[in-house]
DNA sequence: TCTATTGGTTGGAGCGCTCTAATGCTGTAG
DNA sequence: CTACAGCATTAGAGCGCTCCAACCAATAGA
């Protein structure tokens, strides 16, 4: 298992180690015949360069550190996917750690990543305090995804949750709705943004905002609908802006169980455009976050810094887009129900 | 940004570099006072060891290479999650590449991973030919997840798709069904296994297998149900073993659109236990694959090899389990429908 | 003919660390 | 008082590579 080194290849090809190094790095200042000899020798020995030795000697790195707060979460998995795509295209490799949504574990993960002296560090949805981010940013370019902070030296990629909610409201208003309720996702910066977007959107249309507390689950969506139904049918809004897709699906099933039809009796709109929303059985109108794109941008931000193409902080606020399916329609005079 | 080295710490603490090295590796043969001095100096300088230099000098590695055929896929994301958990617990880091389900790209990804001289390599759902796997296995311990091959020197972790289907059939038979149709997932080793399990299961119960071609999507599930309905209502089976959860959901919605009720008129069972299946609106009876566990086992297999605890190949065949929800029930005399 | 110039090639130092063998320093036995 | 452990500590070589400066033709310009 003792793998061949550059020295071995050099000996076999009858050249110096430095020449092999040049060939391996694709230098143009090598004669064709020597190059072929080296390549042949490398092939015969099954040689491939030692990335860590290279990194040490060249004082450069071709790895990007990625700290994912929760890889289990499909959102982050897709961001990583996008990140990986740009990284691979530029010859970079990803080294990944997860933090399990615990600040202590995230700290350790970041330390571990930094010990590899990566060219850059991406933090996806980190929960660590700003000070930790700042100290990392002092050592290496850092990009934050799904998390904002006031540090001048870190890049950021976020989706505009406020705009997303507003898009949802605009869509419903344009369909003719004016009694629209928002199911709030609870604690967390995303929920707050989405709520704000909803409230502002409603006000902009001269409508009264109506926010009810819920959570990012289908069970919570169903529960809050039951509460809404207790208000009485006449009090029921004509449209719902749910906290996310799961929440929306829960709400829909509760509505249908109560004998209401979506979108005939009430429109529902989700958030995230998860694979769930696209199912024909569900066919949920929802707000799409460009997750893959977010990963791509994060990767590019890092690589720009690495290449020294940019020194000022990048602040990407991605515009979500509406995906209209079949859970929204114009309001009708509600049928009489028992 | 010039980070401090061991030399800097040594100078500051008034000791030799070798002593700092011992402290950093937690050696017991260092006096308490020197240790404290070193630790203090390291703290003051913000020093942390250089993992790559360490790896080079010690000729050991603390990274595991992971090639994911498709990180976008929730299945693999969860496997990676499990892998990461064991790796982190043992002080290993993950370096990840994706192959995008292309043999050529996977080959490149593996080469890139091997250039880091990882302690082990995990290939998740690779599509590369066996020869590529073999050559990697010649350099480093390799574990295969969701892919089997005949190589003696590689570890494997697979779920028993055959057993999974059989469990599904057993469940339906125990409910009293005897006309059970399988929706086949098409090409791919998993489909073949699931189909075989279904066929064998049916035969074991003295029943006639009925396999119809479909795909791993909800659209395909709906389509195949339409075809089934054309056979005529009397020909319709009393239960369906779908290719996977998406396929099952598509089938269910087509059935409901045709005026049939699930599970009253027909039972449906999925495969994978995706987050979708757990939604109360869907509440799909399905076969669960222990994805996280598979990642855990893969990581452990690798680490056992790395530590030299085992030299013979590990062959983990994980037993899937049934998750009974509300899309299966005993067959009833079918209501007369128009 | 003698320098420049150019393009290909090489020796050797050094990246930040580990590891072996040797060193100095006690303390205790001979 | 010397000898010998036994322990903490250190010098120095070396991991596999890159990079710089030096080198050596071979050609071009004067």
């Amino acid at each position: 298992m003792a793998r061949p080194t550059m020295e071995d290849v050099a000996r076999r090809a009858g050249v110096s180690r430095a020449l092999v190094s040049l060939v391996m790095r694709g230098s143009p200042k090598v004669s064709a015949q020597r190059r072929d000899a080296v390549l042949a020798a490398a092939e015969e020995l099954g040689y491939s360069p030692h990335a860590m030795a290279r990194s040490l000697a060249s004082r450069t790195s071709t790895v990007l550190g990625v700290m994912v707060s929760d890889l289990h979460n499909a959102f982050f998995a897709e961001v990583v996917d996008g990140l990986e795509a740009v990284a691979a295209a530029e010859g970079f490799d990803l080294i990944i750690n997860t933090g399990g949504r615990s600040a202590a574990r995230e700290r350790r993960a970041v330390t571990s990543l930094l010990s590899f002296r990566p060219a850059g560090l991406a933090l996806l949805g980190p929960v660590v305090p700003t000070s930790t981010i700042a100290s990392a940013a002092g050592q290496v370019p850092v990009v934050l995804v799904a998390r904002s902070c006031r540090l001048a030296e870190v890049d950021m990629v976020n989706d505009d949750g406020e705009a997303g909610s507003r898009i949802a409201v605009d869509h419903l208003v344009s369909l003719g709705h004016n009694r629209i309720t928002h199911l709030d996702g609870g604690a967390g910066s995303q929920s707050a943004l989405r709520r704000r977007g909803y409230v502002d959107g409603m006000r902009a249309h001269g409508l009264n905002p109506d926010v009810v507390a819920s959570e990012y689950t289908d069970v919570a969506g169903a529960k809050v609908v039951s509460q809404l139904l207790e208000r009485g049918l006449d009090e029921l809004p004509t449209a719902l802006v749910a906290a996310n897709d799961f929440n929306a699906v829960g709400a829909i099933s509760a509505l249908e169980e109560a004998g209401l039809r979506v979108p005939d009796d009430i429109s529902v709109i989700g958030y995230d455009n998860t694979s769930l929303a696209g199912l024909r059985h569900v066919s949920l109108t929802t707000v799409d976050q460009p997750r893959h794109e977010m990963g791509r941008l994060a990767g590019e931000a890092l690589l720009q810094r690495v290449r020294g193409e940019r020194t000022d902080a990048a602040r990407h606020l991605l515009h979500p887009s509406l995906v209209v399916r079949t859970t929204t329609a114009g309001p009708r005079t509600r049928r009489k129900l028992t």
Side-chain angles (χ1 to χ4, degrees), chain A residues 13-34:
Chain A
V15 298
S16 72
R17 191 186 55 239
L19 209 254
V20 177
S21 174
L22 289 174
V23 172
M24 287 303 154
R25 282 175 290 148
S27 163
K29 43 172 77 177
V30 177
S31 68
Q33 65 168 351
R34 301 273 192 173

Side-chain angles (χ1 to χ4, degrees), chain A residues 85-132:
Chain A
V86 269
E90 301 288 331
F92 281 74
D93 289 285
L94 257 41
I95 161 159
I96 295 187
N97 267 178
T98 64
R101 296 217 156 276
S102 134
R105 284 181 53 194
E106 284 191 5
R107 253 194 68 86
R108 251 175 295 145
V110 168
T111 303
S112 172
L113 290 173
L114 287 176
S115 76
F116 285 89
R117 304 292 186 274
L121 186 62
L123 305 178
L124 313 188
V127 300
V128 288
T130 304
S131 62
T132 305

Side-chain angles (χ1 to χ4, degrees), chain A residues 303-331:
Chain A
L303 292 175
Q304 283 167 4
R305 292 252 194 195
V306 169
R307 293 189 290 241
E309 294 171 8
R310 182 174 49 74
T311 55
D312 54 319
R315 293 287 138 93
H316 291 289
L317 197 59
L318 273 84
H319 221 74
S321 58
L322 188 73
V323 179
V324 180
R325 294 204 180 87
T326 62
T327 56
T328 50

Side-chain angles (χ1 to χ4, degrees), chain A residues 179 228-238 334-337:
Chain A
R179 287 162 56 209
L228 244 36
L229 288 167
E230 283 171 13
R231 287 189 192 173
L233 234 41
D234 292 337
E235 297 297 317
L236 205 64
T238 62
R334 191 160 290 150
R335 297 170 296 140
K336 279 279 172 269
L337 292 159

Side-chain angles (χ1 to χ4, degrees), chain A residues 30-316:
Chain A
V30 177
S31 68
Q33 65 168 351
R34 301 273 192 173
R35 157 169 290 119
D36 292 347
V38 168
L39 257 21
E43 174 72 20
E44 286 161 26
L45 294 174
Y47 171 81
S48 87
H50 190 308
M52 293 197 179
R54 165 177 290 179
S55 173
L56 187 62
S58 65
R59 270 141 286 189
T60 60
S61 170
T62 59
V63 312
L64 297 180
V66 181
M67 202 290 294
V68 194
S69 62
D70 180 13
L71 193 57
H72 188 80
N73 185 324
F75 177 86
F76 292 119
E78 282 195 51
V79 173
V80 171
D81 202 41
L83 196 46
E84 205 272 343
V86 269
E90 301 288 331
F92 281 74
D93 289 285
L94 257 41
I95 161 159
I96 295 187
N97 267 178
T98 64
R101 296 217 156 276
S102 134
R105 284 181 53 194
E106 284 191 5
R107 253 194 68 86
R108 251 175 295 145
V110 168
T111 303
S112 172
L113 290 173
L114 287 176
S115 76
F116 285 89
R117 304 292 186 274
L121 186 62
L123 305 178
L124 313 188
V127 300
V128 288
T130 304
S131 62
T132 305
I133 298 172
S135 88
Q139 303 176 27
V140 76
V142 170
V143 64
L144 248 41
V145 176
R147 157 84 185 254
S148 53
C149 75
R150 302 224 163 278
L151 296 169
E153 70 274 27
V154 312
D155 295 333
M156 283 168 14
V157 179
N158 285 289
D159 91 306
D160 191 346
E162 210 171 323
S165 287
R166 198 155 351 185
I167 287 171
V169 171
D170 289 349
H171 170 63
L172 293 170
V173 169
S174 76
L175 287 173
H177 293 272
N178 50 32
R179 287 162 56 209
I180 307 168
T181 295
H182 177 49
L183 312 192
D184 185 65
S189 62
Q190 279 309 308
S191 305
L193 283 176
R194 291 179 190 176
R195 179 175 49 234
R196 182 151 12 119
Y198 160 80
V199 171
D200 291 355
M202 290 296 278
R203 295 238 169 87
H205 287 291
L207 300 174
N208 271 337
D210 176 32
V211 177
V212 295
S214 189
E215 282 171 49
Y216 287 132
T217 66
D218 63 320
V219 174
K223 196 167 143 207
V224 79
V225 161
S226 315
Q227 291 165 3
L228 244 36
L229 288 167
E230 283 171 13
R231 287 189 192 173
L233 234 41
D234 292 337
E235 297 297 317
L236 205 64
T238 62
L240 258 32
V241 174
N244 69 352
D245 287 352
F246 288 116
N247 186 256
V249 169
I252 290 172
S253 65
L255 287 167
E256 288 179 343
E257 277 169 24
L260 289 159
R261 289 176 317 178
V262 176
D264 302 18
D265 296 316
I266 183 165
S267 287
V268 177
I269 188 162
Y271 205 116
D272 279 348
N273 193 26
T274 53
S275 59
L276 168 68
L279 291 176
R280 67 188 283 286
H281 179 51
V282 177
S283 189
L284 183 70
T285 295
T286 187
V287 178
D288 181 61
Q289 289 194 57
R291 290 157 289 205
H292 199 273
E293 174 76 2
M294 289 173 79
R296 226 179 41 70
L297 284 170
E300 273 171 6
L302 240 31
L303 292 175
Q304 283 167 4
R305 292 252 194 195
V306 169
R307 293 189 290 241
E309 294 171 8
R310 182 174 49 74
T311 55
D312 54 319
R315 293 287 138 93
H316 291 289

